Each structure stands twice: as structure tokens, then as C-alpha cells.
Amino acid sequence: MVEKQSACSITFPEKVQIYSHDFLKACVYIAGFDKSDNPFTKKLYSRMTATSHLLEDFLDLHGAKNNRDWFYYRELTSLVRHISISCYAQRHIANRIPFYDLPDASDFEGEGRKTLEFLNDILRKAAPALLSEARRLGIRVPEGGYDQANFPGVVSGEMLEYNIDDDAGHDQRKHIVKISSEFLNIAKLFAPLTFYEAQSLEAIREMVPAKVNEVEIRGFEMVVHNLQSSFDSYVIQGGFRYGNRKLKQLRAHFSVVLHIMEVQGRLLHFYERHLHEVGTISTYREVRRRLGEIVNPDELLDRTINYCLFYACHFMSCGKRLAKEVLNENIERGSITVGIPETRGFHARPSLMVAKIVQNYGGEVELVVNGDRFDASSVLDIQWAGGKIQKEEVKQVIFEGDTRALSDIELLASVNYAEDSMGKGLALPKGLKYLK
């Protein structure tokens, strides 16, 4: 009786043939099209992502990163994986734009098409390079690729009947308020990265990777992902064709940012890990040079900053007005009467702390002094109110608006706005440590 060959007894050349087959078959398929053709669909990107990931893991497990014969094949495989993931996310954005209902999106659509064409061109160049490298390594290249019918586009001309109501049947205001506030706080994180005109290549090189890099962008991507998860779990679980338009537009603003950052994170990863000059080992330098013939580093940086970063910041910024509207339509409103800061009144420090409390929650709060109303999120407005308080010898004032902020203002007022009679700052109560 002949014993079955165990998986472990298969040699490396035999295994690399198995792990390369489906991946190279997709490369044969892509290489068979002219540049004027467009074979790329989400299903093809998905196939390229899955097969390249398997092959890259296999090569890494067997030390391809440290072998001069196999390193380029491994790097090409990694290139295809990251670019395919970026393409999938960018195609998703293009498919969803009609449903996002974003304002003034024509320029964004045009830049998105330009970005996808750039990414697709990388795959077109990578496919024949991979086939050539596989032949050099003695890997048999499949004689035929896939049939085009295997990779239809996602979008069709049909739409299933809309028969599930958006309304979850319960009071969602608490969740809507929380998510709107989180959006506004996340938008503040994006503010330092925001710019309003295309950046030059010199300016981009100063930004990447010193200020804008994969680690930073992954952090932004995670907080936006968590925001979308909360929204989909607790606000709108189903369709997006009908129902509360403002809520769906708000989701569109952070959803499109999430997918843009998926593209940006992959491009930054590839640039920093595979194209950026960080070492002097000759093999690595030569492979970087060869990769640079397939991926234009300057154009990749341009798409990373002047498309991805620009529009991620743009949609977070222009979504703030909508988030504030949604927030103020759903907050629980109340009123409190509190004393003024003893001795010195609403000078700079207590005014700043009150404004920071209101800004932290994002909802409307007004300071009412003998019938006159002042914006409690503005330090200047509070100090204007302070002048009226001093002139009219007012001892107590009213705050009206978001009950979350009112609760913290009441706590702050209970300790004389955290300052002594000489105006010196005192320790903040535990619940107000975020004011530091």
C-alpha cells in the first residue's frame, strides 16, 4: 500500500507553485487586456487581494524577505495586495456616491476617477512584471487566465423592493446626540491637517512621513470606523433610501471619510515600507528602484495627500454644520441657576472653562443675564456678559441648553469655578479633569 504524501513532505518549489497558481492566473487575465480596456471590478480586486495575501504570507514564512532571489517576487506580491485593497475601497466610494447625497461632489468624483485610474495602471504594470519574475524563478505560469464573465461589476440596473422601515421604533435621541458630539470632536482632530489648495511635491515630502504617516492615519481611521459602527448599530440599521435625510447625510460624511482613509492607509504603508529610502543594503535599493518603475512615488504621494487627505479633512469639516444641527435637534434641554465667580467674576479663566465645557459636548448653551442672552461656547461672549453682570451687580445667572453641559457647569460653579478668592486656580473636581 502506497502511503499518502503528507503536506509537510511537499517541497518549497512545489508549494510555491500551489500558492502562486490562482494569483498568477489573475495576473495573466489582467495582462491580456490593453490599457484602453477596463477589466477591473470589485470582484477582481477581491480575488487579487485574497490570492496575493496567501502568497505573501507563504513567502514571508519561508524567509523571502531575506533572500535576494525571492525578495522582488515577494515585494511585487505585496504591492498587488495593498493596491488591490485601495482599489476596492475607491471603487466602493464611486459606487456609493449617488446614495451619499453629498453637497458639491463633482470635483471629488473627478479626483476619485483620477485616483482609481492611477491605481489600476499600477496593477496593469505589476501583472507582466510578476509573470516575468515567476518564470525567472521557475514557477509555471498558467496558460490561460480567467474568463471576463467571472468578474461582473457590482452595480446593476435593478433595485430590490424597499420594505423595511428605517424607524427602529424607539427613542434614538441619546445615541444620535452621542454620535453627533463624537463627530464634532473627531473633526477637531482633523483640523490641524486641513488645507485648502493642492500641495506641491516639496511640501508633501515635508509632510510624509514626518507629519502624515501610516500610524497617524490608522489612528484616525479607527476612530471614524468606531463612529460608523455606533451609528449603524444604534441609529440606522437598515436601508438608506428613505427616512431622516439629515441622519443619512451625516453618516455619508463620515462613511466616505472612512473609505478614503482606507485608501490612504494602504498607500502610505506601501510608500513608507517599500518605496521610502531608509536603508543602504544594495538588494533593497535595487528592488526599490524596480518598484519605482511600476509605481511612480511622486504620483502616489500626490494622490495620498491631494486626494485622500484633502477630501478626508474636507468632508469632516463640512459635516460639522450638519452634525451641530442634528445634535441640537436631539439634545435634552434644561436650565440651571448658579452663582458667579466670587470676587473677580467672569474673567478669562472661568470664562474659558465654561466655554470648554460647552465645546466639549457641542450642544447649544446660552448664558442668560437679566434677559440678555450670550453664547456660552464663546469666551468673548461670556466676558461680555461678565461686564453686564458687574455693571448691574448680578449675583446669579441662568444657563440654558444642553443638559449634559449644564450638569458640568453646575459642578464647576459649586467649587467657585475652581479658583480661590484671589483668582488663583484650584484643583478641578474629578468629573471635570478634561478641562486641564
Side-chain angles (χ1 to χ4, degrees):
M1 184 176 178
V2 181
E3 292 185 6
K4 284 187 177 181
Q5 188 179 35
S6 70
C8 291
S9 67
I10 301 176
T11 64
F12 173 80
E14 292 172 317
K15 283 188 176 181
V16 77
Q17 183 69 51
I18 293 170
Y19 278 90
S20 296
H21 181 270
D22 289 347
F23 177 56
L24 294 178
K25 190 173 180 178
C27 291
V28 170
Y29 174 75
I30 293 172
F33 289 88
D34 294 329
K35 187 169 182 179
S36 58
D37 299 320
N38 185 12
F40 299 103
T41 65
K42 288 181 76 173
K43 188 172 182 184
L44 177 58
Y45 297 140
S46 180
R47 180 68 58 86
M48 296 292 287
T49 299
T51 56
S52 60
H53 197 170
L54 280 170
L55 178 57
E56 184 183 352
D57 283 353
F58 170 81
L59 293 170
D60 285 351
L61 186 63
H62 290 81
K65 285 184 179 180
N66 302 306
N67 185 282
R68 64 171 62 93
D69 289 326
W70 287 89
F71 183 60
Y72 185 50
Y73 187 59
R74 186 266 175 201
E75 291 293 274
L76 286 171
T77 303
S78 181
L79 167 64
V80 169
R81 181 165 77 90
H82 290 291
I83 297 302
S84 295
I85 293 171
S86 297
C87 286
Y88 189 98
Q90 184 57 45
R91 175 69 74 181
H92 181 81
I93 292 170
N95 291 345
R96 295 299 301 173
I97 280 181
F99 301 94
Y100 281 147
D101 192 18
L102 294 167
D104 303 322
S106 58
D107 288 345
F108 173 59
E109 287 186 75
E111 289 297 308
R113 285 192 295 270
K114 179 180 176 181
T115 301
L116 190 57
E117 288 169 6
F118 166 67
L119 297 174
N120 285 339
D121 196 48
I122 292 174
L123 295 179
R124 287 190 182 95
K125 293 176 181 177
L130 272 156
L131 297 176
S132 175
E133 188 67 5
R135 292 186 181 100
R136 184 188 73 80
L137 293 168
I139 301 171
R140 292 188 307 278
V141 173
E143 294 184 4
Y146 294 103
D147 188 275
Q148 195 166 6
N150 294 127
F151 301 107
V154 170
V155 180
S156 72
E158 303 171 66
M159 185 66 73
L160 298 175
E161 180 186 359
Y162 189 96
N163 55 19
I164 298 179
D165 192 354
D166 276 350
D167 187 359
H170 62 277
D171 189 355
Q172 300 171 322
R173 286 181 299 173
K174 179 180 70 173
H175 300 298
I176 292 170
V177 166
K178 182 174 182 293
I179 288 165
S180 300
S181 293
E182 286 178 358
F183 181 96
L184 293 170
N185 285 327
I186 293 170
K188 293 176 187 175
L189 301 178
F190 279 80
L193 299 176
T194 302
F195 55 95
Y196 301 98
E197 58 184 19
Q199 300 293 293
S200 67
L201 184 58
E202 292 74 18
I204 291 172
R205 283 175 175 160
E206 290 181 5
M207 296 169 67
V208 180
K211 298 177 182 177
V212 179
N213 52 64
E214 182 190 7
V215 173
E216 293 292 327
I217 295 304
R218 291 293 186 205
F220 285 119
E221 182 185 339
M222 181 57 67
V223 294
V224 177
H225 179 273
N226 291 342
L227 182 65
Q228 179 166 304
S229 295
S230 295
F231 186 95
D232 291 348
S233 295
Y234 301 111
V235 179
I236 296 180
Q237 298 180 352
F240 292 90
R241 290 166 62 197
Y242 306 109
N244 189 317
R245 184 181 179 189
K246 282 187 180 179
L247 288 181
K248 293 171 185 180
Q249 285 182 321
L250 179 60
R251 184 191 186 277
H253 278 81
F254 53 75
S255 181
V256 72
V257 169
L258 174 62
H259 297 304
I260 291 170
M261 302 199 85
E262 289 173 351
V263 177
Q264 186 179 14
R266 293 294 172 174
L267 298 185
L268 282 171
H269 171 92
F270 191 80
Y271 177 79
E272 293 177 54
R273 191 75 62 88
H274 304 275
L275 294 176
H276 187 52
E277 193 76 36
V278 292
T280 58
I281 298 175
S282 60
T283 298
Y284 295 165
R285 290 172 63 91
E286 174 60 18
V287 167
R288 281 197 295 271
R289 183 192 66 77
R290 295 175 73 182
L291 289 174
E293 294 175 352
I294 297 172
V295 185
N296 183 323
D298 294 345
E299 193 169 353
L300 183 143
L301 284 174
D302 174 75
R303 293 295 84 198
T304 299
I305 300 301
N306 285 329
Y307 170 66
C308 293
L309 184 60
F310 176 85
Y311 280 105
C313 293
H314 168 75
F315 287 118
M316 288 303 296
S317 178
C318 68
K320 290 190 292 186
R321 178 190 58 78
L322 183 61
K324 288 178 181 177
E325 287 182 11
V326 170
L327 175 61
N328 287 310
E329 288 171 3
N330 289 275
I331 57 173
E332 181 181 348
R333 295 178 178 272
S335 173
I336 59 171
T337 300
V338 294
I340 64 169
E342 293 179 9
T343 308
R344 302 187 66 191
F346 279 108
H347 64 96
R349 188 171 183 274
S351 298
L352 177 61
M353 286 195 291
V354 170
K356 287 175 72 173
I357 288 173
V358 179
Q359 292 166 12
N360 178 66
Y361 291 103
E364 291 177 347
V365 176
E366 291 182 313
L367 170 56
V368 185
V369 183
N370 285 344
D372 288 339
R373 295 179 174 273
F374 302 86
D375 180 3
S377 69
S378 166
V379 175
L380 186 59
D381 257 31
I382 296 174
Q383 289 185 309
W384 274 109
K388 179 181 176 67
I389 290 167
Q390 186 176 30
K391 181 179 179 180
E392 299 180 8
E393 298 183 349
V394 175
K395 300 301 181 185
Q396 288 187 316
V397 294
I398 299 171
F399 285 94
E400 294 180 353
D402 188 346
T403 57
R404 301 170 304 160
L406 297 185
S407 177
D408 283 4
I409 292 172
E410 194 167 34
L411 177 59
L412 181 67
S414 72
V415 292
N416 193 42
Y417 300 82
E419 65 177 28
D420 62 19
S421 60
M422 301 298 293
K424 182 179 178 182
L426 300 175
L428 289 163
K430 185 177 180 181
L432 301 178
K433 295 298 183 183
Y434 66 86
L435 295 178
K436 285 186 176 181

